[in-house]
Amino acid sequence: MNKLISTHWISLDGFIAGPMGEMDWIRGDDQLSSYEIGLVNGASSLLLGKGTYQDFAQYWPTVPANPNAAAWEKTYAKRINALYKVVISHNLQAANWPTSELWRELDAEKVNAFKARAGGDILTYGSATIVQQLTNLGLVDEYHWLIHPIVLGKGRRLLDNLEQRFDIELIDSERFNSGVMKLIYRKV
């Protein structure tokens, strides 16, 4: 069965976005770019909440033709645009980004069937509410956390509202030149 991977940029104090949703604290470098490209190259699909889906669908299709986009962004955009996408939303009218499917609710059986049929790993970015639900259902196989050397003090947390404690084990770590720490945990 394919893995469901939750990947996130996180501040040292556990926030995935600032109080107003800002992400201007993200530190990119060649290592982070290589990690992101490698991750999408090993994936076949995305599983996203409405907000992240809309942000991605608005931005990534424009990147390949953007003369000001960095080379790594163009490589990443071509791959992410080609991935199969599932968006979970009660009120999104349509999923118009090519190769997208709209689910009205998150259902464990449906997710497991999706994991069984996907031709590679399934990635989820952002989408904190969806990640919390997936975690509560025990469906996330790996957590890829990119810990940034910044303390935000407040903002949006990734794993609020969990129903129970769960154990994970560290399977990989790497320090990037930017000071970002890549930590990969697997569900025990």
Side-chain angles (χ1 to χ4, degrees):
M1 187 172 294
N2 301 292
K3 294 182 292 191
L4 176 58
I5 298 171
S6 169
T7 181
H8 291 87
W9 299 330
I10 303 176
S11 69
L12 190 59
D13 53 345
F15 296 103
I16 59 171
M20 304 304 288
E22 63 272 21
M23 308 261 321
D24 58 346
W25 48 271
I26 301 300
R27 294 185 183 191
D29 62 17
D30 289 342
Q31 291 167 304
L32 183 59
S33 301
S34 293
Y35 159 78
E36 295 290 356
I37 290 168
L39 192 62
V40 296
N41 282 339
S44 66
S45 312
L46 298 175
L47 180 62
L48 305 170
K50 177 182 138 186
T52 304
Y53 176 85
Q54 289 177 315
D55 289 347
F56 278 28
Q58 181 179 10
Y59 182 73
W60 290 113
T62 68
V63 170
N66 181 348
N68 297 320
W72 78 266
E73 272 191 302
K74 290 184 178 197
T75 300
Y76 181 85
K78 287 177 186 172
R79 181 65 186 135
I80 204 164
N81 287 326
L83 294 177
Y84 189 78
K85 301 146 196 88
V86 171
V87 57
I88 301 168
S89 174
H90 298 293
N91 56 14
L92 186 67
Q93 296 301 311
N96 295 322
W97 190 7
T99 66
S100 292
E101 178 180 347
L102 176 59
W103 293 359
R104 290 294 175 199
E105 61 184 33
L106 195 152
D107 175 81
E109 288 182 24
K110 203 169 185 178
V111 172
N112 280 325
F114 185 42
K115 286 169 71 173
R117 78 166 193 238
D121 293 334
I122 301 165
L123 305 176
T124 182
Y125 293 92
S127 311
T129 302
I130 298 300
V131 172
Q132 290 165 22
Q133 292 174 36
L134 290 165
T135 298
N136 282 329
L137 293 168
L139 296 171
V140 178
D141 299 296
E142 288 183 5
Y143 296 88
H144 292 211
W145 292 333
L146 300 157
I147 309 299
H148 285 65
I150 188 167
V151 176
L152 296 178
K154 54 186 169 182
R156 177 118 194 234
R157 290 198 185 276
L158 176 60
L159 294 174
D160 280 346
N161 305 314
L162 294 182
E163 296 170 355
Q164 61 188 355
R165 189 173 94 177
F166 65 100
D167 291 325
I168 54 178
E169 66 177 330
L170 182 66
I171 59 171
D172 189 27
S173 64
E174 180 181 1
R175 183 190 183 281
F176 295 159
N177 292 333
S178 61
V180 171
M181 281 296 300
K182 176 185 80 174
L183 303 172
I184 299 179
Y185 291 93
R186 176 175 46 212
K187 180 175 72 172
V188 178

